[in-house]
Amino acid sequence: MSNQQMPFWEEKKLTEMNRDEWESLCDHCGKCCLLKLQDEDSENDDAESVYYTDVVCDLFDKNDGHCTDYWNREVLVPTCIKLTQDNLDDIEWLPPSCSYRRILEGRGLEDWHHLISGDKNTIHETGNSAVGRVVFEKDVDEDELEEHIVEWPLN
């Protein structure tokens, strides 16, 4: 048996993680920053009635998948949903690749995650992020959002 300590994400529940651990789990894929459309005909508020677009919030940094004003995003963008240890269970639209969702579901982190690969660019280099695939909300007519529906965030 090895004396090597298990990584914190394998050792702790999400609710037991400190702020630094929690924040480090974010893989900066940017998929949560994509505008999503809700099926008006659906009676459910589940993942099947949500459609991802390739349109991002104007705070999205197209180069690295980060938010350009992360700590003030909820004030600047009132529709921004802050993912927390308390609301993670309630946010069903997170993509299957989301590190928080993967940990919650007991699937561990992907090889491209920076805590595994040691490189924050691996997610972008492997095509698992929104970087290089998006347009800004300010550049899209709201009436044309349906034309921007994409499936790649669910892969």
Side-chain angles (χ1 to χ4, degrees), residues 102-155:
R102 291 184 59 83
I103 297 297
L104 180 69
E105 295 174 352
R107 295 185 288 133
L109 297 178
E110 290 278 7
D111 290 342
W112 44 255
H113 192 284
H114 62 271
L115 292 174
I116 303 293
S117 72
D119 183 350
K120 290 191 176 193
N121 288 315
T122 307
I123 188 169
H124 311 305
E125 293 166 356
T126 57
N128 289 293
S129 77
V131 170
R133 301 176 168 196
V134 296
V135 294
F136 285 118
E137 184 175 14
K138 67 181 178 213
D139 298 329
V140 175
D141 185 320
E142 186 178 333
D143 295 332
E144 297 175 1
L145 276 177
E146 284 187 28
E147 296 173 27
H148 287 271
I149 292 175
V150 292
E151 293 187 20
W152 55 260
L154 299 173
N155 299 331

Side-chain angles (χ1 to χ4, degrees), residues 67-114:
C67 180
T68 57
D69 199 347
Y70 182 76
W71 299 111
N72 296 306
R73 69 192 185 282
E74 294 170 85
V75 173
L76 297 170
V77 182
T79 56
C80 182
I81 297 174
K82 181 179 179 182
L83 185 63
T84 68
Q85 292 149 305
D86 296 326
N87 71 3
L88 182 61
D89 281 334
D90 300 327
I91 302 178
E92 295 184 18
W93 51 258
L94 289 171
S97 61
C98 174
S99 298
Y100 295 108
R101 180 174 173 179
R102 291 184 59 83
I103 297 297
L104 180 69
E105 295 174 352
R107 295 185 288 133
L109 297 178
E110 290 278 7
D111 290 342
W112 44 255
H113 192 284
H114 62 271

